Amino acid sequence: MARLVFLGTPEAAVAPLRTLVEAGHDVGLVVTRPDKRRGRGGALHPSPVKAAATELGLRVTDRLEDVPSAGAELGVVVAYGRIIPVAVLHELPMVNLHFSLLPRWRGAAPVERAILEGDAETGVCLMEVEAGLDTGRIYARADTTIDDDETADELRSRLVDLGCRLLADNLADGVAGLPVPRDQVGVPSYAEKIQPAELEIRWAQTAERIRRVVRLGRAWTTWRGHRLGVLAVEALTMPGYGPSEDGRVPGTLEGHTVVTGGGTGIVLVSVQPEGRRPMAAADWSRGQRVEPGERLGP
């Protein structure tokens, strides 16, 4: 077993932390982001990793400067969200659990970018941390296919499970038991953080592209000047039903079907009107009394 420092922040990093503790590793320090103020009262809330670490009785800090004094053999990084300074890496070698098949999708949003670009497969890499952005050599990886209807949350959950097994297997014999790392092979691509504007549905795009946006979560459009969350959709091939037919343009709403680009359409399955709870799109559309030619979006 090894004495470790764990660095992580979101919910996706909680299971890997628990896996290391349950495997018998000595996690001497957990590093995460500072508490954030939320809600009307501005109360401080810990990150998911801090909450889990506190429950496990582990020492927690938000200062990277505390890492060298932890007396650890290795740092384990999972979705930490900050660049680790070279000076810290000189003090302690680190491995990173990254949710893509590197060098595909280096960066902040590998799960979302894989779905948005229609990748057929993805996976998890256990890699060494170095100064570059996800450029380190690979110790081990686990591959998986991406289901055609899988949401980003569902895929991330599966990748977390794969990553936990990867950590447990490759650290079972301590730091000395890590395999010899291999260079990354292939053309790098970069997974920039998803911006809010990317989640606004552009109805002139094809139904398949729109469906991928919806699978990311938090997709939205507007209806009669108000925001409408789009939670689930189904693509619909509509021969002879393209934007040029009968004056229909992208965004035209007919029942709970929407005209999209490329001669395709989308069936709205569930939506969330502004200020209300999620509901079946068929129920929502019946209540709107949609006029002929009315459109979603600007």
Side-chain angles (χ1 to χ4, degrees), residues 109 111-117 150-153 156 194-195 198-199 209-219 230-231:
V111 175
E112 290 83 356
R113 293 296 172 190
I115 288 177
L116 198 57
E117 294 306 312
E150 200 165 21
T151 67
D153 285 345
R156 185 179 295 105
I194 299 292
Q195 299 301 318
E198 294 181 83
L199 298 174
R209 180 70 179 186
I210 291 169
R211 196 168 66 89
R212 293 176 192 169
V213 173
V214 174
R215 287 164 61 197
L216 300 186
R218 297 179 290 116
V230 180
L231 308 183

Side-chain angles (χ1 to χ4, degrees), residues 40-279:
R40 295 180 180 177
L44 287 171
H45 291 265
S47 73
V49 163
K50 181 177 180 179
T54 301
E55 176 191 328
L56 293 166
L58 304 176
R59 178 184 167 213
V60 185
T61 183
D62 58 31
R63 292 166 36 90
L64 281 167
E65 295 84 351
D66 295 334
V67 168
S69 63
E73 303 171 74
L74 185 71
V76 177
V77 183
V78 184
Y80 176 52
R82 290 176 59 189
I83 297 296
I84 299 170
V86 174
V88 176
L89 295 176
H90 284 166
E91 295 285 344
L92 182 68
M94 296 190 183
V95 296
N96 177 30
L97 198 62
H98 185 75
F99 300 135
S100 81
L101 297 177
L102 293 166
R104 181 70 167 166
W105 301 129
R106 295 172 177 172
V111 175
E112 290 83 356
R113 293 296 172 190
I115 288 177
L116 198 57
E117 294 306 312
D119 289 3
E121 65 175 2
T122 187
V124 182
C125 285
L126 183 64
M127 56 171 287
E128 63 180 357
V129 179
E130 59 178 31
L133 180 62
D134 298 328
T135 56
R137 294 177 298 172
I138 306 299
Y139 289 103
R141 65 180 243 174
D143 302 11
T144 187
T145 57
I146 301 176
D147 186 82
D148 192 50
D149 294 316
E150 200 165 21
T151 67
D153 285 345
E154 290 167 345
L155 178 57
R156 185 179 295 105
S157 178
R158 287 205 300 116
L159 293 177
V160 167
D161 290 343
L162 282 177
C164 288
R165 292 198 291 272
L166 209 62
L167 274 178
D169 291 345
N170 286 277
L171 287 175
D173 296 322
V175 177
L178 281 169
V180 176
R182 310 179 309 276
D183 290 338
Q184 296 184 23
V185 178
V187 178
S189 55
Y190 291 90
E192 296 181 1
K193 183 179 179 181
I194 299 292
Q195 299 301 318
E198 294 181 83
L199 298 174
E200 181 180 3
I201 296 174
R202 311 293 180 182
W203 296 106
Q205 294 179 330
T206 65
E208 177 55 33
R209 180 70 179 186
I210 291 169
R211 196 168 66 89
R212 293 176 192 169
V213 173
V214 174
R215 287 164 61 197
L216 300 186
R218 297 179 290 116
W220 63 281
T221 187
T222 54
W223 170 249
R224 294 175 179 170
H226 296 279
R227 192 180 181 105
L228 179 70
V230 180
L231 308 183
V233 298
E234 294 177 356
L236 177 66
T237 302
M238 305 167 73
Y241 194 73
S244 63
E245 301 294 329
D246 301 327
R248 297 183 179 94
V249 297
T252 300
L253 183 65
E254 298 184 349
H256 56 290
T257 297
V258 190
V259 177
T260 59
T264 61
I266 280 283
V267 177
L268 300 176
V269 176
S270 59
V271 297
Q272 184 170 10
E274 188 173 356
R276 298 175 62 185
R277 294 184 177 183
M279 62 190 305

